[in-house]
Amino acid sequence: MQLAQEYSRRVLRRDAALRSRRPRECFAVAGEVGRQAPYFEFRVLDGRPLEERRRLMAGFTELLVRILDVQPQLVRGLCAS
């Protein structure tokens, strides 16, 4: 997928910069305390179709799954406008 090739190096560099400084015990994912889940957030221009936003969400999720080797159910994300 083009998205993964284009942004994988940037994501890995930013991942190191954006890691949480809080202890693992402060988080719960899928009902398990201390479990880590990748999180992403992106913004789109107002008026973009819902289907386009859904494709972006799926693309970012796929990118994190491949690069970070995590289960897709654990990836969290937000699309803001």
Side-chain angles (χ1 to χ4, degrees), residues 26-40:
C26 291
F27 301 95
V29 177
E32 186 179 323
V33 174
R35 191 171 199 178
Q36 293 186 343
Y39 174 81
F40 66 87

Side-chain angles (χ1 to χ4, degrees), residues 42-73:
F42 64 94
R43 294 185 178 273
V44 295
L45 297 174
D46 286 335
R48 291 287 185 183
L50 179 59
E51 183 55 36
E52 188 174 279
R53 293 172 191 230
R54 286 181 175 158
R55 286 195 318 264
L56 283 167
M57 292 287 283
F60 282 119
T61 298
E62 180 184 327
L63 179 66
L64 290 173
V65 165
R66 285 197 304 187
I67 291 173
L68 301 178
D69 192 29
V70 296
Q71 298 172 1
Q73 307 90 300

